[in-house]
Amino acid sequence: MTISDHGEGRVVRVAGPVVTATGLERARLYNVVRVGEHGLVGEIIRLEQHRAVVQVYEDTIGLRVGDPVVDTGSALSVELGPGLLGSIFDGVQSLLTHGPGGAPAPFLERGVTRRALDARRHRRVHHSVEVGDHVEPGDEVATTPETATLTHRILVPDGVSGEVTALGSTDATIDDPVVWIDGEALGMRTRWPVRTPRPVATRLDPTVPLVTGQRVVDSFFPVARGGTATIPGGFGTGKTVLEQAFARWADADVVVYVACGERGNEMAELLEEFPKLPDPRGGGTLMDRTIVVVNTSNMPVAAREAGIYTGITIAEYYRDQGYDVALLADSTSRWAEALREVSSRLEELPGEEGYPAYLPARLAEFYERAGAVRTLGRAERTGSVTVVAAVSPPGGDLSEPVTQQSLRLAGTFWALDVTLAQRRHFPAIHWSRSYSLYDLGPWFGSRTVDDWDAQRRWAIELLAEEERLGNLVQLLGLDVLAPAERVVFQTGRILREDFLQQSAFDEVDAFCTLDKQYWMLHVIRHLHERLIATVTDEIAVEHMARLEVLTDVARMRSWLPEEAEDRARELVARIDAEVGGAP
Amino acid sequence: MRHPPLYVVELPTVSGLAGPLLFVDRATGAAVGEVVEVVAPDGTLRPGQVLEIDGERAVIEVFTGTRGLDLASTVVRLSGEPARLGVGTGLLGRILDGSGRPVDGGPPPMPETFADVHGAPINPAARLHPTEFIETGVSAIDGLNTLLRGQKLPIFSGFGLPSDELAARIAIDARVPGEDEGFAVVFAAMGITHRQAAFYRRVFSESGRMHRTTVFLNLADDAGIERLLTPRLALTAAEHLAFERDLHVLVILTDMTNYCEALREVATAREEVPGRRGYPGYMYTDLASVYERAGRLTGKVGSLTQLVIVSMPDDDITHPIPDLSGYITEGQIVLSRDLHRRGIDPPIDVLPSLSRLMNAGIGKGRTRDDHRQVADQLYAAYARGRDLRRMVAIIGEAGLGEIDRSYLAFADLFEQRFVSHSTRRSIDETLDTAWGLFDLLPAAELKKLSPDLVAVRGAADR
């Protein structure tokens, strides 16, 4: 089959990333086309009687009226198979790491696409079926080790079922057949159109948290595996640092990091560090479990729009193999702006803030591809895709459409606060405005300790009380507070500074185990209760601020995880000794 | 900009003129981004560029303005080439106008090669993470918002604040400790006044660094639309110096607010759907195509660092221009009118300022082992002092305890001694100044400093 079977048109108009062509009457909506002499990749986004409107994923400089537009006959899709892990792609899955000489090309040239998967590499194949077995969509026919820790499952694709009629070689490339089903060869490689969610058997209730090692997240506002979270915040509030901390520490089998319209230098940091850092779950390096889809802000705007779909399709592919996948998107605002830019070039009527009226629908389609699922296939595997999406509201104003629509969809909301960021309170997640809608208390209760949830509620309520008192103090001074209120005031400060603040750059503090989180909070609560019992007059109030144990409380963050419980018990004893008031 | 000798097509079919735009019919063969030359009725030549093509009609932006053009006799010549600049080390020591023509009385510079002024996006996978510290000699930057090679850092300023002075100071004083060679400055001015231009010229010539400097000048009374070209020319020249000639290039762009006004002017003339405050919806992407040209590349010696001046209209940091800039750049240095009024110079407000890349460029072997902790402690203590200042305004200083009063004193001296200084400081001097200020606070309050560090430094101080 040659490409021209599908038709060739001509450019009649070029406006930014949007090209209009005639002569593509037979093309289908969302088919991929190649435009101009460089063969720039584009996608048909609108069909009219004589014209096709194409969004081009590369810079359109140099295009002329009359340039060819060739229909490839297929929708925008990604290549899936073993070898994706550790790769760095652009928004339309062209490999960025291998240039002509093997090293990455310093600048991106147009019309150059590089295959996502290495076709020459031989892989060891372990068959899971025998000749004569009957297989259904989603059934595992073979496995191959993809990395030191992850076994790649080769599954029967959707729409295929029948009898295994032959087995392929146990040493194969991605293009070699693994099995034959009713005489049809099935290889390791498959394609999937990015705008179509991959099918599942059933969706499950998310009940297990995605542990991130970030205290304010895990203890206060956790996100479930298969859930969705949104992080809106103005610039400098730490969205990217937080997303990268999740990429590093989140308890997921696979991490898909979609850097959408963001900074090249920050990506460089991740790309340089991840291959050197060990995976906290053991095995290889962090890069071995990571797939990066990156379209920095200066790369073509339409490919930015596609990148998020490329990312989530890859995430679903690993979910279908029974893995827990975290998809980190930074930032969905840039994706929405790409939508807006293309929409305005199409001269569509603008909705709120110039965004197209279909923005909410598109956002919903994206967020709803997250989920904990039972996969297709008779093995009843479970897997999940958790979506954590950053939002960059203009001027830090959370009333703008992308933030508001994201809030409508996401189960966890981490509100980043400019004032906290300016005081270098990081992560700058504000405790009184953030929330988590996932009921994960039972899981924490069963896995850690019974009073996890009670302790959490105590801390959040205390901070609310501290905020109320803070407003009073701003107006009237500290003197108006009763001794017990002074205790609340001090405990609030300890919670904020010594528990919620966490340094992403400190070796020990960057990751905090659930156990350590529990014991730190336990110590603070214990101290609070002793102070409430003993601080009853002004002299005690003065004394309270000078307690020696406060210094040790401030240094709990540097406890090693395995010694957390012992050190907490020891500190509790010293609090009792110094403060008194033991029951 | 290069003017190719052979013009392939001449079009006498101008069908419309609107603001900076020219519409020409029967423009078959025109390519998007192609350079054109517009022949005015009086015979003068004006450079332009094809923005959009629709059937046989092309939309052209005329960089030196459309005043004096007509429909009857104006002619458009297509060049068949994208906008390119002759680049090379011959540009060093030269002063050019906003379109790249010499205005220093010298001959046209001899180019080594020609480069597309739009550049190509840097492959994110080929970037080197910036880690090399640039000592600017300004404490509030070196100590708290460290600038690294390959970084892009804007100065958010207000009208009347000394942003030019700060940029000039950095251009002269900046160096990498232990190195002095291989450094160049490319300066691009968009829409600055003759007064500002004279200031910069004087500074560069007095500094003795003019032979390592290239200046592009688009003045306030030059055509507004030329401002869209000027930063791209500067960056194209700088990319060549950095990535082909192994120089460490500091690009200073001033003032991006004027650039954005020009962008809005073109968008309005094209009757595009306006975004926030009338600026086009693609302003983020457009600004990114300028800012993201900073960086370091694998396998290349040189680097391209950007220092960008952005004026905040009405001192409003949420205005679309500083807002979108802040989302692209790696931090920001914010100047404060309040500090300026109180004689703090440079009036850098460190609380909203930020350098995102700082962490990779400081510490042992780069600046000093105590740098991170000192910076954290300065921030924490100053932020507390500023909060208390607000409180004192309402309840008076008498309502404060002893510890709180020490924080107030700390905040005052921090501004007067650490932020404000007129002579160049080395990083050691910057950090030592900070240690001097910590003495104002009770030892138990210095929570961001590790006990070991306090012991060592305390001993050293004594």
Side-chain angles (χ1 to χ4, degrees):
Chain A
M1 188 175 68
T2 59
I3 279 171
S4 58
D5 282 354
H6 298 285
E8 180 171 322
R10 297 278 155 199
V11 171
V12 294
R13 178 170 187 251
V14 184
V18 174
V19 166
T20 311
T22 54
L24 288 172
E25 286 79 5
R26 290 191 298 152
R28 278 196 205 145
L29 197 60
Y30 296 118
N31 269 10
V32 171
V33 294
R34 307 295 292 242
V35 183
E37 54 184 288
H38 292 293
L40 310 180
V41 179
E43 185 182 18
I44 299 176
I45 52 171
R46 184 194 279 184
L47 277 172
E48 293 161 11
Q49 199 156 19
H50 301 292
R51 294 152 77 95
V53 179
V54 174
Q55 65 174 351
V56 179
Y57 293 125
E58 300 179 71
D59 197 338
T60 53
I61 279 185
L63 286 182
R64 292 181 161 81
V65 168
D67 277 353
V69 181
V70 181
D71 181 15
T72 63
S74 55
L76 186 65
S77 56
V78 287
E79 194 170 69
L80 302 167
L84 291 171
L85 289 172
S87 303
I88 303 156
F89 301 116
D90 75 358
V92 287
Q93 213 202 7
S94 178
L95 200 59
L96 289 171
T97 34
H98 292 83
F107 293 93
L108 295 171
E109 285 173 47
R110 296 187 298 159
V112 180
T113 48
R114 270 174 260 283
R115 272 190 68 174
L117 297 173
D118 184 350
R120 284 163 306 181
R121 178 159 172 195
H122 282 258
R123 293 183 177 276
R124 183 139 299 279
V125 175
H126 306 281
H127 288 98
S128 331
V129 289
E130 289 170 11
V131 172
D133 284 357
H134 179 81
V135 289
E136 299 274 329
D139 284 350
E140 175 188 307
V141 292
T143 62
T144 179
E146 184 168 354
T147 65
T149 48
L150 191 130
T151 302
H152 196 103
R153 296 194 169 92
I154 299 151
L155 307 175
V156 178
D158 193 29
V160 175
S161 62
E163 191 178 302
V164 176
T165 47
L167 299 184
S169 165
T170 54
D171 176 60
T173 68
I174 51 163
D175 289 323
D176 295 328
V178 173
V179 293
W180 278 261
I181 298 170
D182 289 343
E184 288 280 323
L186 174 67
M188 288 185 235
R189 187 163 63 92
T190 133
R191 294 193 76 87
W192 191 266
V194 297
R195 297 188 195 273
T196 311
R198 287 172 62 87
V200 298
T202 44
R203 291 176 77 103
L204 305 170
D205 258 354
T207 51
V208 179
L210 182 78
V211 176
T212 66
Q214 311 302 304
R215 286 187 289 269
V216 61
V217 170
D218 295 343
S219 284
F220 277 27
F221 311 109
V223 62
R225 283 186 180 172
T228 53
T230 183
I231 326 177
F235 63 81
T237 50
K239 289 183 297 297
T240 303
V241 176
L242 204 55
E243 288 273 23
Q244 295 198 357
F246 293 150
R248 214 157 156 166
W249 302 112
D251 185 23
D253 301 307
V254 173
V255 169
V256 180
Y257 195 98
V258 182
C260 181
E262 290 287 314
R263 304 174 181 90
N265 276 335
E266 283 178 341
M267 278 321 289
E269 180 174 14
L270 186 147
L271 298 180
E272 246 172 63
E273 282 187 348
F274 272 34
K276 292 181 203 151
L277 294 168
D279 183 347
R281 295 155 57 95
T285 69
L286 270 180
M287 203 62 208
D288 290 339
R289 69 160 192 180
T290 308
I291 296 161
V292 176
V293 178
V294 50
N295 240 82
T296 53
S297 55
N298 58 334
M299 287 162 71
V301 67
R304 200 193 291 169
E305 194 265 335
I308 220 155
Y309 296 102
T310 297
I312 199 145
T313 307
I314 293 173
E316 287 175 343
Y317 176 68
Y318 282 95
R319 172 204 68 192
D320 291 346
Q321 297 175 41
Y323 294 114
D324 290 310
V325 186
L327 179 116
L328 308 170
D330 182 20
S331 126
T332 47
S333 290
R334 304 298 163 225
W335 167 80
E337 283 163 12
L339 270 189
R340 174 168 71 182
E341 192 167 331
V342 171
S343 160
S344 98
R345 304 276 191 186
L346 294 175
E347 294 171 356
E348 294 173 335
L349 273 184
E352 207 180 338
E353 297 270 349
Y355 289 105
Y358 46 79
L359 172 72
R362 293 282 174 88
L363 263 177
E365 281 168 20
F366 165 65
Y367 274 99
E368 287 300 287
R369 284 175 79 168
V373 304
R374 178 161 299 123
T375 66
L376 294 184
R378 287 166 297 171
E380 308 231 310
R381 290 181 302 271
T382 56
S384 67
V385 172
T386 311
V387 166
V388 176
V391 181
S392 318
D397 170 15
L398 300 193
S399 69
E400 60 93 36
V402 182
T403 308
Q404 287 303 310
Q405 292 303 336
S406 301
L407 287 181
R408 195 168 62 89
L409 297 161
T412 298
F413 167 42
W414 296 310
L416 295 182
D417 186 85
V418 179
T419 322
L420 290 181
Q422 289 188 359
R423 305 175 55 128
R424 301 303 189 263
H425 174 118
F426 287 115
I429 296 175
H430 202 283
W431 47 91
S432 72
R433 267 175 288 143
S434 305
Y435 56 76
S436 169
L437 301 178
Y438 299 105
D439 182 17
L440 303 171
W443 184 91
F444 282 111
S446 67
R447 290 298 170 92
T448 54
V449 271
D450 288 345
D451 60 343
W452 175 280
D453 227 27
Q455 195 162 277
R456 166 180 187 265
R457 273 199 308 277
W458 166 79
I460 292 178
E461 280 163 19
L462 188 125
L463 284 167
E465 176 70 0
E466 187 225 359
E467 191 171 330
R468 191 183 67 80
L469 296 174
N471 290 338
L472 265 178
V473 169
Q474 283 284 340
L475 284 177
L476 304 167
L478 265 175
D479 295 343
V480 297
L481 299 188
E485 291 174 325
R486 290 292 290 267
V487 174
V488 170
F489 208 59
Q490 173 167 306
T491 305
R493 191 171 151 201
I494 291 173
L495 275 174
R496 285 187 288 109
E497 292 180 2
D498 303 332
F499 184 75
L500 293 180
Q501 285 187 28
Q502 189 171 354
S503 168
F505 305 115
D506 183 277
E507 220 170 291
V508 178
D509 199 28
F511 181 85
C512 190
T513 60
L514 292 184
D515 223 31
K516 183 172 154 188
Q517 296 184 29
Y518 172 81
W519 287 110
M520 286 174 76
L521 213 45
H522 178 83
V523 168
I524 298 172
R525 190 181 185 187
H526 185 84
L527 171 68
H528 178 76
E529 280 164 0
R530 290 294 161 271
L531 289 173
I532 285 284
T534 52
V535 175
T536 48
D537 57 28
E538 283 302 317
I539 296 160
V541 166
E542 280 290 306
H543 179 63
M544 171 177 81
R546 295 170 198 278
L547 289 171
E548 275 175 27
V549 286
L550 293 185
T551 319
D552 299 295
V553 168
R555 303 227 159 95
M556 290 192 294
R557 62 179 71 229
S558 56
W559 288 351
L560 296 176
E562 56 276 13
E563 56 177 36
E565 181 171 355
D566 292 343
R567 300 205 50 172
R569 292 195 188 284
E570 181 201 335
L571 187 50
V572 160
R574 274 196 293 128
I575 289 169
D576 289 344
E578 198 183 348
V579 180
Chain B
M1 202 163 58
R2 184 196 185 190
H3 300 290
L6 278 176
Y7 290 93
V8 235
V9 187
E10 288 213 352
L11 302 166
T13 45
V14 176
S15 62
L17 289 160
L21 300 184
L22 179 154
F23 302 86
V24 58
D25 284 349
R26 273 173 277 152
T28 338
V32 173
E34 174 172 358
V35 166
V36 302
E37 206 158 49
V38 178
V39 189
D42 60 4
T44 56
L45 302 178
R46 302 183 190 190
Q49 180 176 322
V50 179
L51 272 186
E52 183 177 325
I53 49 176
D54 186 359
E56 296 202 324
R57 173 181 248 219
V59 183
I60 287 166
E61 53 183 351
V62 186
F63 290 124
T64 49
T66 49
R67 188 176 302 164
L69 299 185
D70 66 357
L71 302 185
S73 57
T74 301
V75 174
V76 175
R77 291 176 180 164
L78 300 182
S79 70
E81 292 193 20
R84 299 208 285 175
L85 177 75
V87 293
T89 45
L91 288 178
L92 288 172
R94 302 301 305 270
I95 302 178
L96 312 166
D97 72 2
S99 295
R101 292 168 298 212
V103 289
D104 53 4
M110 283 293 288
E112 288 165 25
T113 180
F114 290 89
D116 183 347
V117 302
H118 297 280
I122 296 179
N123 181 351
R127 278 183 186 271
L128 268 181
H129 183 221
T131 53
E132 291 165 310
F133 163 62
I134 298 179
E135 191 179 74
T136 64
V138 177
S139 287
I141 297 178
D142 292 349
L144 294 170
N145 300 286
T146 316
L147 177 68
L148 306 185
R149 275 183 179 166
Q151 187 172 12
K152 44 192 181 290
L153 196 64
I155 298 172
F156 286 176
S157 178
F159 302 119
L161 294 180
S163 53
D164 291 324
E165 285 75 2
L166 181 58
R169 189 165 163 179
I170 294 170
I172 295 164
D173 284 347
R175 65 190 62 137
V176 171
E179 293 179 39
D180 212 30
E181 275 311 292
F183 189 80
V185 173
V186 175
F187 177 84
M190 288 86 75
I192 64 169
T193 60
H194 285 275
R195 183 185 53 73
Q196 287 171 298
F199 166 78
Y200 278 112
R201 280 192 194 209
R202 195 173 59 243
V203 166
F204 287 131
S205 67
E206 282 170 7
S207 70
R209 274 193 166 183
M210 189 58 215
H211 67 289
R212 308 205 64 80
T213 304
T214 304
V215 177
F216 290 87
L217 281 181
N218 165 285
L219 297 174
D221 51 358
D222 288 339
I225 194 163
E226 191 183 64
R227 285 160 208 164
L228 300 181
L229 190 62
T230 309
R232 296 194 161 81
L233 296 179
L235 287 164
T236 306
E239 272 173 3
H240 179 82
L241 294 174
F243 303 129
E244 304 299 328
R245 291 288 165 264
D246 296 345
L247 295 174
H248 293 289
V249 187
L250 175 67
V251 177
I252 300 177
L253 303 175
T254 179
D255 175 328
M256 283 307 276
T257 301
N258 297 333
Y259 171 91
C260 293
E261 301 297 347
L263 199 64
R264 176 163 68 175
E265 191 184 338
V266 174
T268 314
R270 288 169 83 175
E271 298 179 356
E272 290 172 339
V273 181
R276 232 169 18 122
R277 300 217 194 172
Y279 295 97
Y282 50 80
M283 191 158 86
Y284 178 83
T285 306
D286 190 279
L287 284 173
S289 74
V290 172
Y291 296 145
E292 277 289 331
R293 288 173 82 172
R296 290 169 73 221
L297 287 172
T298 318
K300 305 273 186 189
V301 176
S303 62
L304 201 164
T305 309
Q306 283 187 21
L307 198 65
V308 185
I309 295 177
V310 178
S311 289
M312 301 180 284
D314 199 25
D315 294 358
D316 177 9
I317 199 168
T318 68
H319 184 282
I321 298 171
D323 190 46
L324 294 181
S325 295
Y327 273 120
I328 304 166
T329 54
E330 283 126 5
Q332 65 277 336
I333 304 292
V334 182
L335 300 190
S336 149
R337 200 165 294 280
D338 174 53
L339 290 178
H340 182 56
R341 261 195 298 259
R342 286 194 279 124
I344 307 296
D345 182 46
I348 297 173
D349 187 352
V350 299
L351 293 189
S353 299
L354 171 73
S355 165
R356 293 168 181 272
L357 303 180
M358 171 172 179
N359 218 59
I362 63 171
K364 201 170 183 176
R366 301 194 184 278
T367 53
R368 220 166 79 175
D369 56 350
D370 57 339
H371 196 157
R372 176 82 264 162
Q373 293 186 32
V374 167
D376 287 347
Q377 186 62 62
L378 283 174
Y379 267 118
Y382 181 57
R384 177 103 186 260
R386 284 266 293 259
D387 278 354
L388 288 166
R389 244 188 226 166
R390 259 204 317 274
M391 213 159 105
V392 166
I394 302 169
I395 60 169
E397 203 162 328
L400 296 185
E402 190 189 324
I403 294 175
D404 286 345
R405 258 179 248 147
S406 67
Y407 273 104
L408 271 185
F410 175 88
D412 288 341
L413 285 181
F414 170 79
E415 288 167 358
Q416 290 159 19
R417 292 194 192 157
F418 187 85
V419 178
S420 188
H421 63 98
S422 54
T423 50
R424 189 180 192 288
R425 272 190 200 150
S426 71
I427 183 65
D428 272 326
E429 289 166 336
T430 290
L431 294 175
D432 290 344
T433 308
W435 280 99
L437 294 172
F438 292 150
D439 291 344
L440 296 166
L441 298 173
E445 291 294 307
L446 301 174
K447 281 189 187 176
K448 304 274 178 182
L449 304 176
S450 73
D452 307 350
L453 188 62
V454 174
V456 173
R457 280 287 153 194
D461 274 3
R462 276 191 294 276

